[in-house]
Amino acid sequence: MTADPLAPLLALADIAPAVERARERFDQALGHRALRRHGGQVAAEVSLRSAVASAALEGYANDREAVRSGTVTEPVVQGALRVASALPGLSELWPKAPRQALAKLHVLAARDVVTEAELGRPVADPVVAARLDGLAGLVAGGTKVSPLVLAAVVHGELLNLRPFAGPSGVVARGAARLVLLSSGFDPRGLLAVDVGHHEREPEYVGSAGAFATGTPDGLRSWLRHYMAAVEVGADQLTVIGDEVLAAS
């Protein structure tokens, strides 16, 4: 039997407990009573906040209420909103045809930012193509690790590869959320992990650079950041739930 290529990540110092803590924090947040009667409203707010955070991480920070009102027409922000809205509809395609799903994410993220010819097409680089194939193999059943670990690897690898022109970070963050949706870890799209990345942006940038080195310390740095961002995202779910109940 072939060894799981991602299993060694859980042997890195502190990572297995960090993954467990992140999972438990999200499980606790899922008990919020707002989800019983207002789950759709909560999910819509998570989607909005995730998109605003993802665009901000790409260098396009905007006031959330301005985005909500529709007055922000900046193309990267609009692309992040399209990606966030499309994720539930792509969750079935993702594990079956991850390269196709990535292309769709790029079309959504980069419309009006890159040329028509570049939309949905990875850069012509054999190294990038090979790494994307490897990533697609993991997504399509090549690992049995926690979806949180797979999401972190997909996110870090896509940030590092930048396989598409334009706002490829929006694509990377969308793909990581797709891992969580499609695996059943977060089927309703309630985990605002991108809010966590944004709140810890210096750490996000630094640990993503560390991940790119491929060293054990670099991988550990990124995984620790990712699990901390998941905890922030879980707490954000509680905040949103409280706000929705207060307004109902």
Side-chain angles (χ1 to χ4, degrees):
M1 192 165 113
T2 308
D4 190 319
L6 299 188
L9 296 176
L10 290 167
L12 296 171
D14 306 326
I15 295 307
V19 172
E20 186 60 20
R21 275 196 312 273
R23 185 190 63 75
E24 288 177 356
R25 183 77 69 94
F26 185 48
D27 280 349
Q28 289 167 2
L30 287 174
H32 200 292
R33 57 196 185 89
L35 294 174
R36 292 175 211 158
R37 300 180 69 177
H38 307 284
Q41 190 178 344
V42 173
E45 185 64 20
V46 168
S47 181
L48 173 72
R49 295 187 187 194
S50 298
V52 171
S54 187
L57 287 166
E58 207 70 6
Y60 296 88
N62 283 274
D63 177 71
R64 184 170 72 234
E65 296 312 312
V67 176
R68 189 195 310 279
S69 70
T71 59
V72 179
T73 58
E74 200 289 316
V76 171
V77 175
Q78 290 300 313
L81 288 168
R82 285 191 296 268
V83 165
S85 297
L87 293 180
L90 289 173
S91 63
E92 282 193 29
L93 177 67
W94 174 245
K96 298 174 189 170
R99 295 282 297 260
Q100 188 180 341
L102 282 175
K104 287 178 180 289
L105 287 178
H106 184 246
V107 170
L108 294 166
R111 190 191 307 159
D112 302 323
V113 181
V114 304
T115 67
E116 285 286 330
E118 291 172 307
L119 285 175
R121 296 179 183 276
V123 296
D125 181 326
V127 174
V128 170
R131 295 276 287 273
L132 278 179
D133 284 343
L135 202 59
L138 290 173
V139 169
T143 180
K144 300 298 181 192
V145 296
S146 163
L148 288 174
V149 175
L150 178 57
V153 169
V154 166
H155 191 151
E157 185 75 343
L158 290 172
L159 280 181
N160 176 27
L161 285 180
R162 299 194 67 82
F164 297 99
S168 59
V170 174
V171 176
R173 289 181 285 276
R177 290 191 67 208
L178 266 182
V179 172
L180 302 179
L181 265 80
S182 66
S183 65
F185 182 87
D186 178 26
R188 298 163 72 188
L190 296 170
L191 182 58
V193 63
D194 292 343
V195 173
H197 295 315
H198 187 222
E199 285 194 9
R200 304 172 72 98
E201 185 170 3
E203 181 185 274
Y204 174 75
V205 173
S207 62
F211 176 91
T213 67
T215 63
D217 282 347
L219 297 172
R220 178 173 172 267
S221 172
W222 172 249
L223 288 164
R224 286 185 63 178
H225 160 76
Y226 196 91
M227 300 312 149
V230 167
E231 292 196 49
V232 173
D235 292 346
Q236 185 72 190
L237 174 57
T238 301
V239 169
I240 292 170
D242 289 347
E243 290 174 1
V244 167
L245 284 183
S248 63

